[in-house]
């Protein structure tokens, strides 16, 4: 079986414009779901990432690497870093105002990320074609322009909000629908691009 990378946008993909109703540059995006492992405030073992809107179709995420993030002694776990990149690249969809899910994620680890450091993840959209959204990201240690530790590429697929209701665990979907803090997420995507 041959492997063809689906994280490289085809020539027909277009660079999208930032949606006019996307959050203003520098805006803290908050949590899209309070129990999300990546950004949820109600997830005690989560990443608790701080993600802010960029000036284009991009975001800047910050992950403070703590004790619970270890893989090897004193170093961040690679799978956890991949999850942080998935979260940051997924947040770029707020700039497009299109809910989307990860279809493919590739990560390249360039250098170790020590416990106690802050990983600054710069994620941006590099192409859109139909439902497909291609993204790239770089993770810099201790400063937005610090040494690159991790790079990632991803393909996301735009979905309707019914995707989450149809496939999510029913009790969690019901809780999200009844909680005013959770219902605000649905309002973010009320305007279709």
């Amino acid at each position: 079986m041959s492997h063809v990378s689906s994280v490289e946008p085809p020539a027909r993909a277009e660079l999208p414009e930032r949606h006019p109703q996307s959050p203003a540059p520098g805006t803290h995006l908050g949590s899209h779901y309070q129990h999300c492992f990546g950004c949820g405030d109600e997830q005690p073992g989560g990443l608790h990432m701080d993600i802010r809107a960029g000036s284009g179709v991009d975001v800047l995420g910050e992950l403070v690497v703590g004790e619970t993030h270890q893989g090897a002694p004193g170093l961040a776990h690679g799978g956890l870093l991949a999850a942080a990149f998935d979260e940051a690249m997924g947040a770029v969809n707020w700039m497009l105002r299109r809910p989307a899910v990860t279809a493919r994620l590739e990560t390249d680890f360039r250098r170790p990320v020590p416990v106690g450091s802050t990983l600054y993840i710069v994620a941006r959209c590099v192409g859109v074609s139909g439902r497909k959204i291609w993204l790239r990201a770089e993770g810099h240690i201790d400063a937005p322009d610090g040494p690159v530790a991790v790079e990632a590429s991803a393909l996301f697929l735009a979905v309707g909000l019914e995707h989450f209701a149809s496939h999510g665990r029913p009790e969690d979907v019901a809780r999200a629908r009844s909680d005013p803090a959770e219902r605000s997420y649905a309002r973010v995507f009320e305007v279709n691009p």
Side-chain angles (χ1 to χ4, degrees):
M1 174 185 268
S2 66
H3 172 72
V4 177
S5 178
S6 60
V7 293
E8 188 64 37
R12 72 179 181 283
E14 298 178 3
L15 281 174
E17 297 275 330
R18 178 187 182 90
H19 192 282
Q21 294 178 332
S22 64
T27 300
H28 172 71
L29 296 181
S31 176
H32 65 89
Y33 174 55
Q34 295 298 310
H35 298 276
C36 173
F37 175 75
C39 64
D41 294 332
E42 298 296 320
Q43 184 56 264
L47 298 176
H48 302 282
M49 291 183 65
D50 178 26
I51 301 177
R52 298 186 180 276
S55 59
V57 185
D58 61 320
V59 300
L60 174 63
E62 292 181 33
L63 171 67
V64 177
V65 181
E67 295 290 325
T68 60
H69 301 148
Q70 291 184 77
L75 298 173
H77 187 284
L80 181 128
L81 294 174
F85 274 77
D86 183 52
E87 187 67 28
M89 288 190 283
V92 171
N93 293 302
W94 288 66
M95 303 309 110
L96 298 171
R97 291 183 58 101
R98 294 179 80 180
V101 295
T102 312
R104 182 178 206 86
L105 172 66
E106 293 181 6
T107 52
D108 294 307
F109 300 96
R110 303 290 182 211
R111 63 176 35 185
V113 178
V115 169
S117 64
T118 299
L119 189 64
Y120 292 85
I121 301 173
V122 180
R124 68 192 182 291
C125 182
V126 295
V128 173
S129 180
R131 292 181 51 216
K132 295 180 178 180
I133 304 166
W134 288 271
L135 301 129
R136 298 272 188 278
E138 291 183 339
H140 302 265
I141 297 178
D142 290 333
D145 61 351
V148 174
V150 184
E151 295 175 310
S153 301
L155 170 65
F156 276 64
L157 293 177
V159 296
L161 289 176
E162 69 279 356
H163 169 86
F164 305 101
S166 297
H167 299 288
R169 191 169 62 173
E171 59 267 30
D172 295 322
V173 171
R175 179 178 60 210
R177 285 182 168 159
S178 67
D179 183 345
E182 301 297 358
R183 286 196 311 265
S184 65
Y185 176 58
R187 285 193 299 275
V188 170
F189 296 113
E190 283 178 355
V191 177
N192 291 324

